[in-house]
Amino acid sequence: MITKRILIIDDEADIQAVAQLGLELEAGWQVFTAASGLDGIDQAKRHRPDAILLDIMMPNMDGLTTLKQLKATPQVCDIPVIFLTAKSQAADRRQFYAAGVVGVISKPFDPITLASQIAGFLAWN
């Protein structure tokens, strides 16, 4: 079985650590992390992950801006993006899906079920 590769872009180190640990232990996936939108775009180009978990509220470049730049970058525009956010009102979610995300996972999330939530959004069995 081929190991899935996930990129987590979040400015909070504790969120990165908890998500990474959950994905590695529960699913055996390879996880890369980035602390900013710009670093995340560079990491996406370098590692070509199977999916990206992207925080919305980050300094300098927020998640929506990062998503737009990912979608405008030919070598990574096809990588599915799932928002990881505390903003989960219906209006926010409509805006996120309209921007091109394949899913939205609310913070706080359960690290034990995070991999299955991602797999569900991406139809990975």
Side-chain angles (χ1 to χ4, degrees):
M1 185 177 87
I2 297 172
T3 301
K4 297 293 186 192
R5 298 156 47 93
I6 306 295
L7 171 61
I8 300 168
I9 306 173
D10 196 305
D11 61 311
E12 296 180 52
D14 57 338
I15 298 286
Q16 285 182 19
V18 168
Q20 181 171 5
L21 196 61
L23 296 177
E24 289 174 347
L25 291 178
E26 294 300 317
W29 293 346
Q30 186 176 11
V31 178
F32 306 96
T33 60
S36 71
L38 279 177
D39 185 31
I41 292 165
D42 287 341
Q43 296 275 357
K45 290 183 208 172
R46 186 174 319 129
H47 298 294
R48 291 279 310 144
D50 296 296
I52 297 172
L53 274 184
L54 176 58
D55 184 24
I56 295 282
M57 294 182 281
M58 295 186 292
N60 304 321
M61 183 188 296
D62 69 6
L64 279 169
T65 305
T66 303
L67 176 67
K68 287 180 181 131
Q69 292 209 10
L70 286 164
K71 294 292 183 195
T73 305
Q75 66 261 50
V76 296
C77 63
D78 60 330
I79 299 171
V81 176
I82 297 170
F83 275 153
L84 190 60
T85 183
K87 294 180 72 172
S88 57
Q89 264 62 26
D92 292 324
R93 286 177 179 262
R94 280 193 295 278
Q95 178 188 15
F96 302 156
Y97 283 110
V101 298
V102 297
V104 178
I105 296 174
S106 296
K107 289 181 183 177
F109 59 88
D110 180 350
I112 307 246
T113 61
L114 185 59
S116 62
Q117 285 181 279
I118 294 167
F121 284 125
L122 300 171
W124 293 346
N125 295 351

